[in-house]
Amino acid sequence: MTIEFVYFAWVRERIGIGGETLDVPAGLATVTDLLDWLATRSPGHAAALADRGAIRVAVDQDFVMPDAPLGTPAEIAIFPPVTGG
Amino acid sequence: MTIEFVYFAWVRERIGIGGETLDVPAGLATVTDLLDWLATRSPGHAAALADRGAIRVAVDQDFVMPDAPLGTPAEIAIFPPVTGG
Amino acid sequence: MIAARVQAAAFDMAAETARLTGGRSDIGAVVTFTGHVRADDGLTALLIEHYPAMTQRQMMAIAAEAWGRWPLLGGSIVHRHGRLLPGEAIVLVAIASAHRGAAFAAAEFLMDWLKTRAPFWKQEERGDRLHWVAAKATDDAAAARWTAGGGTT
Amino acid sequence: MIAARVQAAAFDMAAETARLTGGRSDIGAVVTFTGHVRADDGLTALLIEHYPAMTQRQMMAIAAEAWGRWPLLGGSIVHRHGRLLPGEAIVLVAIASAHRGAAFAAAEFLMDWLKTRAPFWKQEERGDRLHWVAAKATDDAAAARWTAGGGTT
């Protein structure tokens, strides 16, 4: 499965890129499983995803909880808690 | 005691004047006593003051309750509940 | 401080808020309320009468109370009197603070006060008929939110 | 409807509210909130990043929710991104309604939402030092007021 990943704020800075298109292995059941896999890709990915309580995930532009089923998303965004307004 | 009376909205219309300077007799203990005396001055005064629940009184530009002691005010205003804003 | 005034002329909301924020960098939040004349049931104009001596005195008192209750950085209250047409602005409350909670609360507090304690009276004009507006119990209930034991704050 | 947009350019609060009320006589209340950059602790600029696809989608959803919750007659949300200097306006929420209660409530609701759910991130610039702003628990608590069981409304 091919997914478009986008990163924001310090997640973007730690990973070192604003986004990437990745082939994701089959068998990842939840969002947490996906993050566990993503964290193995580089030291930057590992650093960005180390504290799961400090990051938020949106799947196809909707917030999801870590235990949400992964499904077949087109775009996954990873970022810190928002600070707009 | 000489008091300046000022009237607003339909209280003004019923009394027929925007205000008047009156010599008030001694012995009026409360605001209610004053209104009772004022109501005897003309049919217009009586009509304006007939429904005491529908009028409000300010003594020297502060709201007062009907049972407030009269004191020695300079100006007494009588008007309906306010509708500003 | 919170400046308060009554005038017949229209006001400029942008100028009022610019006056609060101009040249400052400590203000994080500005809340404004503007009341307009609604053309309900064929209303052709609103005639607003007030009691100038009391209005001035009471506006200063309530402005001081708001200043004491919330950490505010500036404010403006403008209330018009005279004959206003449908769509025209009647009243403006603008409040500046570091944060939004205080600015929202103070603006609502001042509007609730203006509705229930400021000595203004509205008369509705519909063609050649005139009708004094009655006070609303919902406005009293809103104002009671701000007094001890008067409901939730 | 409530129009929502994100832009780098400054906005004109007076023009936004004039667009809501112009030519109408059914609007009785307009509440605006404007957020400004504070120069706290020597801050020289605020850098605002956002996630455009999600911002647009989520702003439309929250605008629709506000429209369903309160009897509103119009609204506008404008959020800026990019580098903003102290004193500059970041965000505007303007809400029009027949009465003040709905206008105040919807404006507060939308601001609480923007603070906690809209995908924007602020970075504080102090000279050559940059620092990502952390989310605040007080903002989460404010937003929780609007959800069932999330506290008083």
Side-chain angles (χ1 to χ4, degrees), chain D residues 114-130:
Chain D
L114 285 168
K115 290 272 180 186
T116 56
R117 305 290 289 175
F120 289 85
W121 299 273
K122 287 181 186 145
Q123 202 170 17
E124 296 174 339
E125 177 195 290
R126 290 185 176 82
D128 55 4
R129 287 187 304 119
L130 294 174

Side-chain angles (χ1 to χ4, degrees), chain B residues 21-79:
Chain B
T21 307
L22 296 176
D23 276 318
V24 173
L28 301 176
T30 66
V31 168
T32 291
D33 294 340
L34 180 76
L35 298 182
D36 290 344
W37 170 78
L38 192 64
T40 66
R41 290 190 52 82
S42 81
H45 288 80
L49 304 177
D51 180 359
R52 295 295 168 84
I55 62 171
R56 298 291 180 269
V57 177
V59 170
D60 290 337
Q61 293 99 46
D62 277 321
F63 285 103
V64 294
M65 299 299 286
D67 59 354
L70 185 55
T72 56
E75 181 173 284
I76 292 194
I78 307 174
F79 45 73

Side-chain angles (χ1 to χ4, degrees), chain D:
Chain D
M1 62 160 289
I2 300 174
R5 65 183 199 272
V6 179
Q7 63 188 40
F11 51 77
D12 178 342
M13 193 248 269
E16 295 293 330
T17 57
R19 194 179 55 73
L20 296 182
T21 57
R24 297 184 70 154
S25 56
D26 56 340
I27 290 170
V30 177
V31 170
T32 71
F33 175 89
T34 314
H36 291 260
V37 179
R38 281 178 288 115
D40 291 356
D41 305 320
L43 179 134
T44 51
L46 207 53
L47 311 177
I48 304 176
E49 172 176 339
H50 79 120
Y51 175 12
M54 185 170 176
T55 306
Q56 193 56 37
R57 181 176 151 81
Q58 297 279 347
M59 273 189 169
M60 286 173 63
I62 201 69
E65 185 174 337
W67 198 260
R69 282 177 88 133
W70 290 281
L72 306 180
L73 295 172
S76 185
I77 304 171
V78 186
H79 202 303
R80 294 176 67 190
H81 65 89
R83 184 171 184 272
L84 305 184
L85 301 177
E88 280 196 82
I90 307 170
V91 62
L92 172 72
V93 168
I95 297 293
S97 182
H99 301 285
R100 72 188 184 287
F104 271 117
E108 285 204 76
F109 168 79
L110 290 169
M111 278 309 306
D112 287 344
W113 178 83
L114 285 168
K115 290 272 180 186
T116 56
R117 305 290 289 175
F120 289 85
W121 299 273
K122 287 181 186 145
Q123 202 170 17
E124 296 174 339
E125 177 195 290
R126 290 185 176 82
D128 55 4
R129 287 187 304 119
L130 294 174
H131 171 75
W132 289 102
V133 174
K136 286 191 291 187
T138 51
D139 286 331
D140 289 332
R145 290 182 295 168
W146 307 102
T147 55
T152 57
T153 55

Side-chain angles (χ1 to χ4, degrees), chain C residues 11-34:
Chain C
F11 52 78
D12 179 343
M13 192 249 267
E16 294 294 329
T17 57
R19 193 179 55 73
L20 297 181
T21 57
R24 298 185 67 154
S25 56
D26 56 341
I27 289 170
V30 177
V31 170
T32 72
F33 175 89
T34 313

Side-chain angles (χ1 to χ4, degrees), chain C residues 43-66:
Chain C
L43 180 135
T44 50
L46 207 52
L47 311 177
I48 303 176
E49 173 176 339
H50 79 120
Y51 176 11
M54 184 170 175
T55 306
Q56 193 57 35
R57 183 175 150 79
Q58 298 281 345
M59 271 187 170
M60 288 173 62
I62 200 70
E65 185 174 336

Side-chain angles (χ1 to χ4, degrees), chain C residues 18-142:
Chain C
R19 193 179 55 73
L20 297 181
T21 57
R24 298 185 67 154
S25 56
D26 56 341
I27 289 170
V30 177
V31 170
T32 72
F33 175 89
T34 313
H36 291 261
V37 179
R38 281 178 288 115
D40 290 356
D41 304 320
L43 180 135
T44 50
L46 207 52
L47 311 177
I48 303 176
E49 173 176 339
H50 79 120
Y51 176 11
M54 184 170 175
T55 306
Q56 193 57 35
R57 183 175 150 79
Q58 298 281 345
M59 271 187 170
M60 288 173 62
I62 200 70
E65 185 174 336
W67 200 259
R69 284 177 85 133
W70 290 280
L72 306 181
L73 295 172
S76 186
I77 304 173
V78 186
H79 201 303
R80 294 177 67 190
H81 66 89
R83 184 170 184 272
L84 305 183
L85 301 178
E88 281 196 80
I90 307 170
V91 61
L92 172 72
V93 168
I95 297 293
S97 182
H99 301 285
R100 72 190 185 287
F104 271 117
E108 284 202 77
F109 168 78
L110 290 170
M111 277 310 306
D112 286 344
W113 177 83
L114 286 168
K115 290 271 180 187
T116 55
R117 305 290 289 175
F120 289 85
W121 299 272
K122 286 180 187 147
Q123 201 169 17
E124 295 173 340
E125 176 195 291
R126 291 186 174 83
D128 54 6
R129 287 187 304 120
L130 294 173
H131 171 74
W132 289 103
V133 174
K136 285 191 291 184
T138 50
D139 286 332
D140 290 331

